[in-house]
Amino acid sequence: MSHPVTHAKARTSPRWQRRKEARPAEIVAAALEVFVERGFAATKVADVARRAGVTKGTVYLYFESKEALFKAVVRETIVPVIAKGEALARGFTGSASELLEQLVREYWRLVGETALAGIPKLMMAEASTFPELTRFYYEEVVTRGHRLMSGVIERGIKNGEFRPVDVKIAAKLAMSPLMHAVVALRSFASCMPEGFDIQKYLDTHIDLYLHGIAKQ
């Protein structure tokens, strides 16, 4: 018969393994919260460690620097949103107008209405101070998002829905109002006597954009 201690180890070992495997995700989740609250410059690795319930040394086991931790936050939170949009576009069988509207609304649902909205706001605020991180964010998120939207616009031009336009500029114009909405809601909403109705804002943006790009 096996010794009881052997059974105890067998039972507890899987839980320990799951806990260890979960640590990077827990650290990234904590880092997202702290970066959004304090900004990149003011955040210390020790702050993230406390929020995650681990030691500072544990954070450095998985992430070699604060910069590497921030990149992990971006790659594991916002980049997957772009990837979902790309998957949606690949399998979409409706019109280009319907796809564009769905992408705009999904971006807002997954980013604008969540803590992730703090990341683009943070990048706009600290871009000039951290040029290397800014380049990383632009390449990993902004450029990829613009490429996705450019593909939708090109689809609409080819099938006769949209009139010929400068696709790259049109893609930026489709996304820019979302960045404005992020800043408006997180920075200026309390100063707006008229308030900020995000649903009416999105409805109006989509309506004006699609009418403006529609083939006459």
Side-chain angles (χ1 to χ4, degrees):
M1 180 181 293
S2 300
H3 195 279
V5 173
T6 303
H7 289 299
K9 288 182 178 179
R11 288 194 300 271
T12 58
S13 180
R15 285 197 294 269
W16 179 84
Q17 289 173 355
R18 286 196 298 272
R19 170 63 182 170
K20 184 178 180 180
E21 291 166 358
R23 280 177 183 163
E26 293 169 354
I27 293 168
V28 166
L32 172 63
E33 293 178 0
V34 180
F35 281 133
V36 168
E37 289 173 10
R38 305 184 184 185
F40 182 82
T43 293
K44 296 181 174 59
V45 172
D47 301 329
V48 175
R50 280 193 294 273
R51 185 70 60 92
V54 299
T55 66
K56 183 177 175 180
T58 299
V59 176
Y60 281 118
L61 283 176
Y62 299 102
F63 308 99
E64 64 181 13
S65 64
K66 185 170 73 168
E67 289 77 9
L69 179 55
F70 180 80
K71 289 180 179 180
V73 169
V74 171
R75 285 179 173 144
E76 295 180 30
T77 60
I78 292 185
V79 169
V81 172
I82 306 297
K84 286 180 181 179
E86 292 167 342
L88 171 63
R90 283 193 300 270
F92 198 78
T93 58
S95 68
S97 296
E98 291 168 335
L99 177 55
L100 189 145
E101 176 174 357
Q102 192 164 336
L103 287 173
V104 167
R105 294 192 188 279
E106 277 295 284
Y107 178 89
W108 188 259
R109 184 179 70 84
L110 295 173
V111 177
E113 294 180 354
T114 71
L116 300 190
I119 297 297
K121 178 176 177 291
L122 179 156
M123 291 309 305
M124 285 186 275
E126 304 196 46
S128 61
T129 309
F130 301 99
E132 193 276 331
L133 283 182
T134 302
R135 281 191 296 271
F136 158 79
Y137 185 83
Y138 194 85
E139 292 168 1
E140 297 265 343
V141 178
V142 179
T143 298
R144 192 167 168 181
H146 287 166
R147 189 183 306 122
L148 169 60
M149 192 59 72
S150 292
V152 178
I153 295 166
E154 287 173 346
R155 180 186 303 194
I157 293 171
K158 287 178 181 177
N159 68 22
E161 286 182 71
F162 301 156
R163 59 191 175 86
V165 293
D166 185 313
V167 172
K168 289 184 178 180
I169 293 177
K172 290 180 172 65
L173 291 173
M175 299 299 295
S176 294
L178 297 174
M179 298 304 100
H180 169 264
V182 164
V183 174
L185 281 177
R186 289 185 165 261
S187 300
F188 302 123
S190 61
C191 304
M192 295 178 173
E194 73 281 11
F196 193 84
D197 187 325
I198 184 60
Q199 293 309 316
K200 286 185 178 179
Y201 179 92
L202 292 177
D203 291 345
T204 303
H205 164 49
I206 293 166
D207 177 65
L208 292 176
Y209 188 87
L210 290 178
H211 276 85
I213 200 173
K215 190 172 184 179
Q216 304 299 321

